[in-house]
Amino acid sequence: MKKNKPELRLLTTPTAQVQVSGATLVDVARVAGVSPITVSRALNQPQLVRPNTLAKVQAAVQETGYAKNMLPGGLAASRSKLVALVLPTISNQIFADMIQGTSDALTQAGYQLLLGFSGYEEWREEILVETIMSRRPDGIILTGTLHTDNTRRRLQQSGTPVVETWDMTASPIDMVIGFSHEEVGHATATHLLQQGCRRFAILTAGDPRAARRNQGLQAALAKQGVSVVATHTAPVPGTLPLGREGMAQLLQAHPGLDAVVCSSDTLAHGALIEAAARGVQVPGQLKVVGFGDLNFASHTVPPLSTIRVDGARIGALAAQAILARMDGTGSPPARAINTGFELVQRGSS
Protein backbone atom coordinates (compact mmCIF):
# COMPACT_ATOMS: atom_id res chain seq x y z
CA MET A 1 0.00 0.00 0.00
CA LYS A 2 1.36 3.41 -0.95
CA LYS A 3 2.22 5.59 2.03
CA ASN A 4 0.27 8.80 2.32
CA LYS A 5 2.44 11.88 2.43
CA PRO A 6 1.66 13.82 5.59
CA GLU A 7 0.83 17.49 5.38
CA LEU A 8 3.99 19.57 5.16
CA ARG A 9 3.82 22.34 7.75
CA LEU A 10 6.15 25.29 8.01
CA LEU A 11 8.48 25.09 10.99
CA THR A 12 8.02 28.02 13.33
CA THR A 13 10.15 29.83 15.88
CA PRO A 14 9.52 33.15 17.68
CA THR A 15 12.88 34.59 16.55
CA ALA A 16 12.70 33.58 12.88
CA GLN A 17 12.47 36.79 10.93
CA VAL A 18 15.54 36.90 8.67
CA GLN A 19 15.49 35.25 5.25
CA VAL A 20 18.16 32.79 4.02
CA SER A 21 17.42 32.81 0.29
CA GLY A 22 17.33 35.95 -1.83
CA ALA A 23 13.59 36.29 -1.17
CA THR A 24 12.44 38.56 1.65
CA LEU A 25 9.41 38.59 3.88
CA VAL A 26 8.10 41.47 1.76
CA ASP A 27 8.44 39.31 -1.37
CA VAL A 28 6.36 36.60 0.28
CA ALA A 29 3.72 39.15 1.27
CA ARG A 30 3.51 40.50 -2.29
CA VAL A 31 3.06 37.03 -3.80
CA ALA A 32 0.50 36.01 -1.17
CA GLY A 33 -1.41 39.28 -1.49
CA VAL A 34 -1.24 40.02 2.23
CA SER A 35 0.70 42.39 4.47
CA PRO A 36 4.22 41.62 5.76
CA ILE A 37 2.80 41.61 9.28
CA THR A 38 0.37 38.87 8.28
CA VAL A 39 3.22 36.85 6.77
CA SER A 40 5.23 37.21 9.98
CA ARG A 41 2.25 36.08 12.04
CA ALA A 42 1.61 33.12 9.70
CA LEU A 43 5.21 31.98 10.06
CA ASN A 44 5.52 32.45 13.80
CA GLN A 45 1.97 32.05 15.14
CA PRO A 46 0.05 30.10 12.49
CA GLN A 47 -2.71 29.23 14.95
CA LEU A 48 -3.73 32.91 14.91
CA VAL A 49 -4.11 33.07 11.12
CA ARG A 50 -7.18 32.02 9.13
CA PRO A 51 -6.63 28.73 7.26
CA ASN A 52 -7.10 30.24 3.78
CA THR A 53 -4.61 33.02 4.56
CA LEU A 54 -2.14 30.54 6.00
CA ALA A 55 -2.43 28.45 2.82
CA LYS A 56 -1.65 31.53 0.68
CA VAL A 57 1.42 32.32 2.75
CA GLN A 58 2.66 28.71 2.63
CA ALA A 59 2.24 28.66 -1.15
CA ALA A 60 4.09 31.99 -1.48
CA VAL A 61 6.95 30.67 0.67
CA GLN A 62 7.32 27.68 -1.65
CA GLU A 63 7.13 29.86 -4.76
CA THR A 64 9.67 32.45 -3.63
CA GLY A 65 12.09 30.07 -1.92
CA TYR A 66 11.93 32.12 1.29
CA ALA A 67 13.59 30.38 4.24
CA LYS A 68 13.64 31.52 7.83
CA ASN A 69 16.86 31.94 9.73
CA MET A 70 16.87 30.33 13.17
CA LEU A 71 20.33 31.63 14.05
CA PRO A 72 20.62 34.40 16.66
CA GLY A 73 20.45 37.88 15.17
CA GLY A 74 24.15 38.63 15.75
CA LEU A 75 25.11 35.68 13.55
CA ALA A 76 22.70 36.45 10.73
CA ALA A 77 25.30 38.16 8.57
CA SER A 78 28.14 35.69 9.27
CA ARG A 79 28.86 32.17 8.16
CA SER A 80 27.31 29.42 10.22
CA LYS A 81 30.34 27.11 9.79
CA LEU A 82 27.84 24.29 9.31
CA VAL A 83 27.59 21.92 6.35
CA ALA A 84 24.56 19.63 6.29
CA LEU A 85 24.65 16.03 5.06
CA VAL A 86 21.36 14.25 4.33
CA LEU A 87 21.59 10.45 4.22
CA PRO A 88 18.89 7.79 3.88
CA THR A 89 20.22 5.81 6.86
CA ILE A 90 23.22 5.42 9.13
CA SER A 91 22.90 1.63 9.39
CA ASN A 92 24.86 1.01 6.17
CA GLN A 93 28.64 1.01 6.61
CA ILE A 94 29.10 2.75 3.23
CA PHE A 95 27.30 5.80 4.57
CA ALA A 96 29.25 5.63 7.83
CA ASP A 97 32.45 5.79 5.75
CA MET A 98 31.06 8.79 3.90
CA ILE A 99 30.27 10.57 7.16
CA GLN A 100 33.84 10.05 8.32
CA GLY A 101 35.33 11.29 5.04
CA THR A 102 33.09 14.36 5.00
CA SER A 103 33.67 15.18 8.66
CA ASP A 104 37.46 14.84 8.40
CA ALA A 105 37.65 17.27 5.47
CA LEU A 106 35.32 19.79 7.11
CA THR A 107 36.96 19.65 10.54
CA GLN A 108 40.35 20.50 9.05
CA ALA A 109 38.78 23.65 7.59
CA GLY A 110 37.04 24.63 10.85
CA TYR A 111 33.55 23.53 9.81
CA GLN A 112 31.10 21.21 11.55
CA LEU A 113 28.88 18.53 10.05
CA LEU A 114 25.10 18.55 10.58
CA LEU A 115 23.43 15.18 9.87
CA GLY A 116 19.88 14.41 8.76
CA PHE A 117 18.29 11.10 7.79
CA SER A 118 15.54 10.83 5.19
CA GLY A 119 14.72 7.11 5.43
CA TYR A 120 14.74 6.75 1.60
CA GLU A 121 11.67 9.02 1.38
CA GLU A 122 11.70 12.12 -0.83
CA TRP A 123 9.04 13.86 1.26
CA ARG A 124 11.12 13.34 4.40
CA GLU A 125 14.08 14.87 2.62
CA GLU A 126 11.91 17.88 1.72
CA ILE A 127 11.05 18.44 5.39
CA LEU A 128 14.70 18.03 6.37
CA VAL A 129 15.81 20.57 3.78
CA GLU A 130 13.23 23.04 5.12
CA THR A 131 14.64 22.59 8.62
CA ILE A 132 18.25 22.69 7.48
CA MET A 133 17.79 25.91 5.52
CA SER A 134 16.47 27.59 8.66
CA ARG A 135 19.88 26.88 10.22
CA ARG A 136 21.54 28.76 7.38
CA PRO A 137 24.19 26.17 6.45
CA ASP A 138 27.17 27.11 4.34
CA GLY A 139 26.58 24.04 2.18
CA ILE A 140 24.30 21.02 1.76
CA ILE A 141 25.26 17.49 0.67
CA LEU A 142 22.43 15.22 -0.49
CA THR A 143 22.30 11.51 -1.22
CA GLY A 144 21.12 10.73 -4.73
CA THR A 145 19.59 12.92 -7.43
CA LEU A 146 15.88 12.17 -6.92
CA HIS A 147 14.14 14.95 -5.00
CA THR A 148 10.73 16.60 -4.84
CA ASP A 149 10.14 19.64 -7.05
CA ASN A 150 9.91 21.78 -3.90
CA THR A 151 13.31 20.59 -2.69
CA ARG A 152 15.00 21.34 -6.01
CA ARG A 153 13.38 24.76 -6.30
CA ARG A 154 14.18 25.72 -2.70
CA LEU A 155 17.84 24.80 -3.05
CA GLN A 156 18.28 26.40 -6.46
CA GLN A 157 16.76 29.65 -5.21
CA SER A 158 18.80 29.69 -2.00
CA GLY A 159 22.20 30.22 -3.59
CA THR A 160 23.65 27.74 -1.06
CA PRO A 161 26.30 25.38 -2.49
CA VAL A 162 24.75 21.93 -2.98
CA VAL A 163 26.41 18.63 -3.81
CA GLU A 164 24.36 15.59 -4.81
CA THR A 165 26.24 12.33 -4.19
CA TRP A 166 26.12 8.58 -4.91
CA ASP A 167 24.74 9.10 -8.39
CA MET A 168 25.29 10.94 -11.67
CA THR A 169 22.92 13.22 -13.57
CA ALA A 170 23.08 15.59 -16.52
CA SER A 171 21.07 18.19 -14.60
CA PRO A 172 22.36 18.53 -11.02
CA ILE A 173 20.93 21.12 -8.66
CA ASP A 174 24.46 22.52 -8.39
CA MET A 175 27.24 19.91 -8.26
CA VAL A 176 27.18 16.10 -8.36
CA ILE A 177 29.78 13.55 -7.19
CA GLY A 178 29.16 9.84 -7.66
CA PHE A 179 28.95 7.08 -10.23
CA SER A 180 26.52 5.47 -12.67
CA HIS A 181 24.35 2.81 -11.11
CA GLU A 182 23.30 1.65 -14.57
CA GLU A 183 26.97 0.98 -15.38
CA VAL A 184 27.28 -1.03 -12.16
CA GLY A 185 24.40 -3.19 -13.40
CA HIS A 186 26.06 -3.60 -16.80
CA ALA A 187 29.37 -4.64 -15.22
CA THR A 188 27.68 -7.16 -12.92
CA ALA A 189 25.76 -8.73 -15.80
CA THR A 190 28.88 -8.98 -17.95
CA HIS A 191 30.83 -10.66 -15.16
CA LEU A 192 28.18 -13.28 -14.44
CA LEU A 193 27.51 -14.00 -18.10
CA GLN A 194 31.22 -14.64 -18.54
CA GLN A 195 30.93 -17.18 -15.70
CA GLY A 196 28.27 -19.05 -17.69
CA CYS A 197 25.22 -17.87 -15.72
CA ARG A 198 21.88 -17.84 -17.52
CA ARG A 199 19.19 -18.06 -14.81
CA PHE A 200 19.37 -14.80 -12.87
CA ALA A 201 17.48 -13.57 -9.80
CA ILE A 202 17.64 -10.20 -8.06
CA LEU A 203 17.57 -9.84 -4.27
CA THR A 204 17.15 -6.15 -3.57
CA ALA A 205 16.07 -3.60 -1.01
CA GLY A 206 13.56 -0.93 -2.05
CA ASP A 207 16.19 1.70 -2.74
CA PRO A 208 15.87 3.92 -5.87
CA ARG A 209 19.61 3.66 -6.60
CA ALA A 210 19.44 -0.14 -6.30
CA ALA A 211 16.51 -0.03 -8.74
CA ARG A 212 18.71 1.74 -11.27
CA ARG A 213 21.43 -0.89 -10.88
CA ASN A 214 18.81 -3.56 -11.45
CA GLN A 215 17.62 -1.79 -14.59
CA GLY A 216 21.18 -1.67 -15.89
CA LEU A 217 21.61 -5.37 -15.14
CA GLN A 218 18.43 -6.32 -16.95
CA ALA A 219 19.25 -4.14 -19.96
CA ALA A 220 22.67 -5.77 -20.33
CA LEU A 221 21.19 -9.26 -19.95
CA ALA A 222 18.49 -8.55 -22.51
CA LYS A 223 21.14 -7.71 -25.11
CA GLN A 224 22.39 -11.30 -24.70
CA GLY A 225 18.91 -12.82 -24.81
CA VAL A 226 18.83 -13.49 -21.08
CA SER A 227 16.09 -12.35 -18.70
CA VAL A 228 15.79 -12.20 -14.93
CA VAL A 229 13.80 -15.17 -13.66
CA ALA A 230 12.66 -13.60 -10.39
CA THR A 231 13.06 -10.51 -8.19
CA HIS A 232 12.62 -10.40 -4.44
CA THR A 233 12.33 -6.94 -2.86
CA ALA A 234 13.06 -6.52 0.85
CA PRO A 235 12.31 -3.48 3.03
CA VAL A 236 15.03 -0.86 3.42
CA PRO A 237 17.58 -1.00 4.77
CA GLY A 238 18.40 -4.58 3.77
CA THR A 239 19.57 -6.75 6.67
CA LEU A 240 21.21 -10.16 6.96
CA PRO A 241 17.98 -11.87 8.13
CA LEU A 242 16.13 -10.30 5.19
CA GLY A 243 18.84 -11.65 2.91
CA ARG A 244 18.31 -15.16 4.26
CA GLU A 245 14.56 -14.83 3.95
CA GLY A 246 14.76 -13.52 0.39
CA MET A 247 17.18 -16.22 -0.72
CA ALA A 248 14.97 -18.91 0.82
CA GLN A 249 11.98 -17.71 -1.15
CA LEU A 250 13.96 -17.42 -4.38
CA LEU A 251 15.47 -20.92 -4.09
CA GLN A 252 12.16 -22.50 -3.13
CA ALA A 253 10.33 -20.97 -6.09
CA HIS A 254 13.21 -21.29 -8.58
CA PRO A 255 15.54 -24.18 -7.63
CA GLY A 256 17.42 -23.91 -10.94
CA LEU A 257 18.86 -20.44 -10.35
CA ASP A 258 22.56 -20.06 -11.10
CA ALA A 259 23.06 -16.37 -10.18
CA VAL A 260 21.66 -14.04 -7.49
CA VAL A 261 22.54 -10.34 -7.67
CA CYS A 262 22.10 -8.55 -4.33
CA SER A 263 21.69 -4.80 -3.82
CA SER A 264 23.99 -4.82 -0.77
CA ASP A 265 26.70 -6.94 0.80
CA THR A 266 24.50 -7.33 3.86
CA LEU A 267 21.72 -8.98 1.87
CA ALA A 268 24.31 -11.04 0.02
CA HIS A 269 25.79 -12.26 3.31
CA GLY A 270 22.38 -13.52 4.37
CA ALA A 271 21.94 -15.14 0.95
CA LEU A 272 25.23 -17.03 1.33
CA ILE A 273 24.22 -18.31 4.77
CA GLU A 274 20.85 -19.50 3.49
CA ALA A 275 22.42 -21.21 0.47
CA ALA A 276 24.84 -23.07 2.76
CA ALA A 277 22.00 -24.09 5.07
CA ARG A 278 20.16 -25.59 2.09
CA GLY A 279 23.20 -27.40 0.77
CA VAL A 280 23.46 -25.21 -2.33
CA GLN A 281 27.10 -24.91 -3.35
CA VAL A 282 28.44 -21.41 -4.01
CA PRO A 283 29.90 -20.84 -6.56
CA GLY A 284 29.53 -24.37 -7.97
CA GLN A 285 25.73 -24.34 -8.31
CA LEU A 286 24.96 -20.71 -7.62
CA LYS A 287 26.93 -17.48 -7.91
CA VAL A 288 26.24 -14.50 -5.64
CA VAL A 289 27.35 -10.89 -6.09
CA GLY A 290 26.82 -8.04 -3.59
CA PHE A 291 27.36 -4.29 -3.56
CA GLY A 292 29.53 -2.09 -1.36
CA ASP A 293 32.61 -4.19 -0.48
CA LEU A 294 31.88 -3.77 3.22
CA ASN A 295 34.55 -4.74 5.74
CA PHE A 296 33.21 -8.29 6.14
CA ALA A 297 32.87 -9.08 2.42
CA SER A 298 36.28 -10.72 2.11
CA HIS A 299 35.61 -12.84 5.23
CA THR A 300 32.32 -14.55 4.32
CA VAL A 301 32.25 -18.22 3.32
CA PRO A 302 33.01 -18.18 0.46
CA PRO A 303 34.46 -14.65 0.20
CA LEU A 304 31.91 -12.37 -1.45
CA SER A 305 32.26 -10.96 -4.95
CA THR A 306 31.00 -7.40 -4.89
CA ILE A 307 31.13 -3.87 -6.25
CA ARG A 308 33.62 -1.64 -4.45
CA VAL A 309 32.66 2.02 -4.00
CA ASP A 310 34.75 4.44 -1.97
CA GLY A 311 32.24 6.16 0.30
CA ALA A 312 34.91 8.00 2.28
CA ARG A 313 36.31 9.51 -0.93
CA ILE A 314 32.87 10.61 -2.08
CA GLY A 315 32.34 12.35 1.27
CA ALA A 316 35.76 14.03 1.20
CA LEU A 317 35.28 15.25 -2.38
CA ALA A 318 31.83 16.61 -1.55
CA ALA A 319 33.22 18.53 1.44
CA GLN A 320 36.09 19.87 -0.65
CA ALA A 321 33.67 21.06 -3.35
CA ILE A 322 31.62 22.96 -0.76
CA LEU A 323 34.75 24.50 0.76
CA ALA A 324 36.12 25.51 -2.65
CA ARG A 325 32.85 27.24 -3.47
CA MET A 326 32.88 29.04 -0.12
CA ASP A 327 36.54 30.07 -0.47
CA GLY A 328 36.04 31.53 -3.93
CA THR A 329 39.73 31.43 -4.80
CA GLY A 330 41.46 29.37 -7.46
CA SER A 331 39.63 27.23 -10.01
CA PRO A 332 35.91 26.63 -9.37
CA PRO A 333 35.01 23.06 -8.39
CA ALA A 334 33.95 20.71 -11.17
CA ARG A 335 30.19 20.53 -11.66
CA ALA A 336 30.32 16.74 -12.00
CA ILE A 337 32.87 14.20 -10.72
CA ASN A 338 32.52 10.52 -11.57
CA THR A 339 34.27 8.53 -8.82
CA GLY A 340 33.70 5.21 -10.57
CA PHE A 341 33.55 1.73 -9.03
CA GLU A 342 35.39 -1.59 -9.13
CA LEU A 343 34.03 -5.10 -9.51
CA VAL A 344 35.91 -7.30 -7.02
CA GLN A 345 35.75 -11.00 -7.91
CA ARG A 346 36.10 -13.37 -4.98
CA GLY A 347 35.00 -16.90 -4.18
CA SER A 348 31.23 -16.43 -4.51
CA SER A 349 31.43 -16.04 -8.30
Side-chain angles (χ1 to χ4, degrees), residues 171-313:
S171 56
I173 294 173
D174 184 8
M175 298 173 282
V176 61
I177 298 174
F179 56 94
S180 168
H181 291 270
E182 290 83 359
E183 290 182 6
V184 170
H186 294 166
T188 305
T190 299
H191 168 66
L192 290 171
L193 287 170
Q194 290 173 345
Q195 303 306 307
C197 299
R198 290 297 181 271
R199 289 181 57 80
F200 285 72
I202 293 173
L203 175 54
T204 183
D207 172 357
R209 285 165 294 283
R212 292 172 67 172
R213 295 196 294 274
N214 296 336
Q215 291 168 4
L217 175 84
Q218 292 173 307
L221 292 177
K223 290 181 179 180
Q224 301 301 319
V226 178
S227 60
V228 171
V229 174
T231 298
H232 178 88
T233 302
V236 289
T239 63
L240 188 151
L242 288 174
R244 287 202 66 173
E245 177 184 328
M247 180 64 107
Q249 293 187 25
L250 288 171
L251 291 176
Q252 183 172 350
H254 305 278
L257 291 175
D258 57 18
V260 175
V261 178
C262 303
S263 66
S264 72
D265 285 355
T266 307
L267 286 175
H269 192 187
L272 288 177
I273 294 173
E274 184 62 27
R278 291 173 173 264
V280 177
Q281 296 181 358
V282 178
Q285 296 172 260
L286 178 69
K287 293 173 173 56
V288 177
V289 175
F291 176 85
D293 195 24
L294 303 185
N295 57 13
F296 61 79
S298 62
H299 301 284
T300 59
V301 181
L304 180 64
S305 296
T306 185
I307 300 295
R308 177 180 294 160
V309 179
D310 194 339
R313 179 168 178 253

Side-chain angles (χ1 to χ4, degrees), residues 100-113:
Q100 192 66 58
T102 307
S103 180
D104 288 347
L106 291 175
T107 299
Q108 290 178 6
Y111 283 74
Q112 296 297 317
L113 185 62

Side-chain angles (χ1 to χ4, degrees), residues 163-168 175-179 313-314 317-319 321 334-339:
V163 181
E164 296 166 280
T165 60
W166 290 98
D167 210 340
M168 294 301 293
M175 298 173 282
V176 61
I177 298 174
F179 56 94
R313 179 168 178 253
I314 291 175
L317 288 174
R335 191 160 189 251
I337 299 176
N338 191 331
T339 57

Side-chain angles (χ1 to χ4, degrees), residues 105-185:
L106 291 175
T107 299
Q108 290 178 6
Y111 283 74
Q112 296 297 317
L113 185 62
L114 176 66
L115 291 177
F117 302 101
S118 64
Y120 296 92
E121 299 279 6
E122 292 177 24
W123 63 265
R124 290 186 186 275
E125 181 189 68
E126 180 179 325
I127 294 174
L128 277 172
V129 167
E130 177 76 26
T131 305
I132 288 167
M133 291 302 295
S134 72
R135 297 292 178 182
R136 205 180 181 206
D138 292 325
I140 297 178
I141 302 170
L142 302 176
T143 303
T145 58
L146 300 177
H147 319 285
T148 66
D149 291 341
N150 284 338
T151 297
R152 291 186 66 88
R153 181 169 58 249
R154 173 56 59 88
L155 292 175
Q156 287 169 340
Q157 291 173 336
S158 72
T160 302
V162 176
V163 181
E164 296 166 280
T165 60
W166 290 98
D167 210 340
M168 294 301 293
T169 177
S171 56
I173 294 173
D174 184 8
M175 298 173 282
V176 61
I177 298 174
F179 56 94
S180 168
H181 291 270
E182 290 83 359
E183 290 182 6
V184 170

